[in-house]
Amino acid sequence: AYTAAGQPVQRSSGTLLPGDFVKLRLSCFNTPYGDVQLDPVGIPGDVRGKLVWDELEARMRTGKLVMGRVLNVTAKGYAVGVAGYVALLESNHALPEAAAQIGTLQPFYVASMDKARKQIKLSGVRREVMDMEEMYRRSM
């Protein structure tokens, strides 16, 4: 969302409010369903990066999982792609089953973040924890 002056709206949540401006592109004037199709216009890279960083920080504070893919082995552990950032999964925090699944989308916890260095460290998730969280979500 943007202000009338074109500046990004700074909010802790991603909700839209009356008066917000949203950039959209008219993709199709008359769809087979008889309506108009609008697509969002890309968010500027610096704004997107800040939004993603803020979301990752929030998940670190609350202990929520993030999804990522193990990319490759590094000197200290594993490089993991998370929402456009490359994070470090240190060897002592990596579970063997997670490290073996290179390229597969899987859950991790954010262990620490250093904004000045743009560094993110992750820790692996035990299968039992994932199963318990899934049972909890289903019970809600």
Side-chain angles (χ1 to χ4, degrees):
Y2 298 87
T3 65
Q7 298 299 318
V9 174
Q10 301 295 322
R11 285 198 196 105
S12 59
S13 69
T15 58
L16 292 174
L17 298 175
D20 287 348
F21 288 82
V22 182
K23 294 181 180 182
L24 299 170
R25 179 178 50 117
L26 178 62
S27 297
C28 185
F29 185 70
N30 191 11
T31 69
Y33 301 105
D35 58 2
V36 174
Q37 180 176 340
L38 301 172
D39 292 326
V41 174
I43 299 172
D46 58 332
V47 174
R48 182 190 176 282
K50 183 182 180 333
L51 292 172
V52 170
W53 188 269
D54 291 346
E55 176 65 20
L56 291 172
E57 281 183 330
R59 288 178 178 254
M60 179 181 67
R61 282 191 307 274
T62 59
K64 290 186 178 177
L65 295 170
V66 298
M67 298 303 287
R69 297 179 198 279
V70 175
L71 303 173
N72 57 282
V73 177
T74 68
K76 294 184 178 182
Y78 303 89
V80 179
V82 178
Y85 286 97
V86 177
L88 173 65
L89 175 62
E90 292 179 315
S91 296
N92 59 338
H93 291 273
L95 301 173
E97 60 268 18
Q101 297 179 20
I102 292 179
T104 304
L105 193 63
Q106 51 190 314
F108 298 94
Y109 286 109
V110 178
S112 67
M113 297 177 72
D114 183 344
K115 193 169 194 166
R117 294 181 175 160
K118 292 286 186 199
Q119 289 181 344
I120 303 169
K121 291 185 181 179
L122 304 175
S123 65
V125 178
R126 299 211 179 282
R127 179 67 52 199
E128 308 83 56
V129 172
M130 285 182 8
D131 292 342
M132 287 178 15
E133 286 181 353
E134 182 62 28
M135 286 179 10
Y136 176 74
R137 270 194 295 272
R138 288 182 184 170
S139 69
M140 299 302 284

